[in-house]
């Protein structure tokens, strides 16, 4: 497979749930580190980070269902991200890995937190990189994730840009449109003007995303509230809707492995002023008829994550926050040395 870097191998792992594509370093053993990718991507984004780990670690990167080369089973969003986290747990069990280090990026951060929530005893450490808020993406206000309305209006499958979805479906590899996968990656996955050397590989990774109501972006239902769409029960974006995904009880788990939260200082995707948050777009005048900041303020994603992790620490856990300057949504690509140092430090604690 031309998209694999030298030293990286791919194989399929049959679990009792589905067959999962897993990247590894050929012949490597050691303490397992499981990498979980984000939305509209795949395990291919993790290759260099895997190669950068010392020989004492065995890195594995999984493709979530509907991404990469894993079975494209439908996603039941009413379970939040548990279809994904249970799939990852199934790989850990099928390979007999025992307790593992977990590394999750963006949506994958929510997946590893859910896995931690449900299977705390199987986790050595957790590394979150620019993770989705523990209250999901869109449809909430305040640090405690208060719903904008009971329907979760403003989140879910209807929040995706239809032109981006169309270009994904069409397999667009060009840079002709600002909403092409390539341009979205160069504008938002990383901080411009940074251009990844593996940009072509990453575009192919993005294009592996299955499209439709059962996959990306998912279904939606009309809502009488602004901006007129609420989460459905199927597909990717609905797994992160606040009506389906909430981790405000993370502090109740036992044991509590150490958590490191790594984020790019200039992330535009997961931010207190995210350019993908419909409420923030309304505040910026990019969506009409915004009701105003009193009822529909931008979602404070960073503040929400910090509040949940503070409670985790107050109840006996530990976490720290590492902010990488001059990086956007993908510090592992933009600042690999800084990311690798931060990752090694947390792995050493487990």
């Amino acid at each position: 497979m031309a998209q694999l870097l030298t030293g990286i191998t791919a194989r399929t792992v049959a679990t009792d749930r589905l067959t999962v594509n897993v990247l590894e370093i050929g012949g490597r053993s050691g303490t397992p580190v499981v990498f979980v990718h984000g939305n509209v991507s795949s395990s291919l984004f993790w290759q260099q980070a895997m190669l950068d780990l010392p020989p004492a670690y065995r890195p594995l990167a999984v493709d979530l269902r509907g991404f990469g080369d894993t079975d494209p089973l439908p996603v039941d969003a009413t379970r939040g991200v548990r279809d994904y986290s249970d799939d990852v747990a199934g790989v850990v069990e099928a390979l007999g890995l025992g307790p593992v280090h977990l590394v999750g990026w963006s949506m994958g951060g929510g997946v590893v937190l859910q896995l931690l929530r449900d299977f705390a005893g199987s986790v050595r450490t957790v590394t979150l990189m620019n993770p989705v808020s523990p209250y999901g993406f869109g449809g909430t206000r305040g640090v405690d994730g208060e719903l904008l309305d009971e329907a979760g209006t403003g989140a879910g499958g209807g929040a995706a840009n239809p032109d981006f979805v169309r270009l994904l479906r069409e397999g667009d590899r060009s840079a002709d449109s600002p909403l092409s996968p390539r341009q979205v990656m160069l504008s938002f996955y990383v901080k411009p003007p940074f251009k990844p050397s593996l940009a072509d590989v990453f575009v192919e990774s993005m294009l592996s995303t299955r499209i439709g109501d059962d996959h990306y972006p998912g279904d939606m239902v009309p809502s009488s509230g602004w901006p007129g769409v609420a989460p459905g029960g199927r597909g990717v974006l609905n797994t992160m809707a606040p009506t389906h995904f909430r981790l405000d009880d993370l502090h109740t788990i036992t044991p509590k492995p150490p958590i490191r939260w790594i984020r790019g200082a200039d992330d535009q995707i997961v931010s207190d002023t995210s350019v993908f948050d419909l409420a923030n777009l309304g505040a910026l005048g990019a969506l009409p008829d915004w009701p105003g900041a009193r009822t529909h303020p931008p979602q404070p994603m960073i503040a929400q994550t910090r509040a949940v992790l503070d409670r985790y620490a107050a109840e006996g856990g530990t976490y720290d926050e590492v902010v990488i300057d001059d990086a956007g949504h993908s510090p592992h690509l933009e600042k690999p040395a800084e990311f690798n140092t931060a990752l090694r430090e947390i792995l050493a604690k487990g």
Side-chain angles (χ1 to χ4, degrees):
M1 183 185 297
Q3 296 164 6
L4 296 183
L5 300 184
T6 301
I8 300 290
T9 62
R11 63 163 163 156
T12 55
V13 175
T15 75
D16 60 1
R17 294 175 55 81
L18 77 173
T19 299
V20 179
N21 186 60
V22 179
L23 300 188
E24 299 178 89
I25 295 179
R28 179 76 69 88
S29 59
T31 306
V33 182
V34 178
F35 292 84
V36 183
H37 66 81
N39 191 14
V40 191
S41 63
S42 75
S43 60
L44 294 174
F45 275 80
W46 285 121
Q47 292 184 87
Q48 191 58 57
M50 296 168 65
L51 292 168
D52 287 342
L53 280 184
Y57 297 103
R58 177 189 177 187
L60 307 96
V62 299
D63 285 339
L64 299 176
R65 64 170 65 194
F67 300 93
D69 292 321
T70 288
D71 287 348
L73 269 63
V75 178
D76 179 0
T78 65
R79 306 184 69 233
V81 298
R82 278 193 169 96
D83 269 358
Y84 299 132
S85 59
D86 287 352
D87 290 347
V88 176
V91 172
V92 172
E93 181 178 1
L95 294 178
L97 298 179
V100 299
H101 298 280
L102 293 173
V103 184
W105 170 41
S106 193
M107 181 181 78
V111 173
V112 302
L113 280 182
Q114 187 68 65
L115 199 155
L116 172 65
R117 172 65 184 82
D118 295 340
F119 306 101
S122 67
V123 180
R124 293 174 180 267
T125 68
V126 169
T127 299
L128 306 172
M129 185 177 69
N130 298 67
V132 63
S133 163
Y135 298 104
F137 200 102
T140 66
R141 61 183 169 224
V143 297
D144 293 326
E146 179 187 358
L147 291 173
L148 297 182
D149 64 30
E150 291 184 359
T153 303
N161 185 293
D163 287 328
F164 175 62
V165 176
R166 175 180 58 81
L167 292 169
L168 271 178
R169 179 184 288 111
E170 293 174 357
D172 189 303
R173 293 170 172 80
S174 75
D176 296 340
S177 165
L179 292 170
S180 72
R182 185 180 299 273
Q183 287 291 57
V184 167
M185 185 261 293
L186 293 175
S187 298
F188 301 109
Y189 282 35
V190 298
K191 178 185 177 181
F194 177 79
K195 293 185 178 180
S197 60
L198 297 176
D200 289 346
V201 172
F202 299 150
V203 170
E204 295 305 314
S205 172
M206 295 172 72
L207 292 176
S208 75
T209 304
R210 306 322 195 273
I211 305 300
D213 285 351
D214 284 321
H215 298 291
Y216 181 83
D219 64 344
M220 60 179 172
V221 297
S223 171
S224 59
W226 185 90
V229 292
R234 300 154 60 197
V236 176
L237 293 186
N238 294 311
T239 68
M240 295 177 283
T243 47
H244 302 316
F245 175 71
R246 295 178 72 84
L247 284 172
D248 49 0
D249 63 348
L250 191 67
H251 61 284
T252 66
I253 67 169
T254 301
K256 292 182 173 67
I259 296 174
R260 170 156 280 186
W261 174 21
I262 303 171
R263 62 182 182 88
D266 302 308
D267 188 2
Q268 299 182 78
I269 297 178
V270 176
S271 165
D272 287 353
T273 53
S274 169
V275 296
F276 292 86
D277 174 18
L278 298 188
N280 187 51
L281 291 177
L284 295 173
L287 287 179
D289 302 321
W290 178 57
R294 187 182 66 82
T295 59
H296 288 71
Q299 180 187 0
M301 301 178 187
I302 302 301
Q304 289 175 347
T305 296
R306 189 174 295 118
V308 167
L309 294 180
D310 281 346
R311 284 198 294 273
Y312 184 82
E315 294 296 325
T318 62
Y319 91 94
D320 63 3
E321 181 179 350
V322 177
V323 180
I324 298 180
D325 291 334
D326 198 32
H329 194 59
S330 309
H332 64 312
L333 308 180
E334 302 163 88
K335 301 287 183 178
E338 291 92 329
F339 173 77
N340 186 257
T341 296
L343 178 57
R344 290 189 189 202
E345 289 173 352
I346 183 66
L347 295 182
K349 296 182 179 181

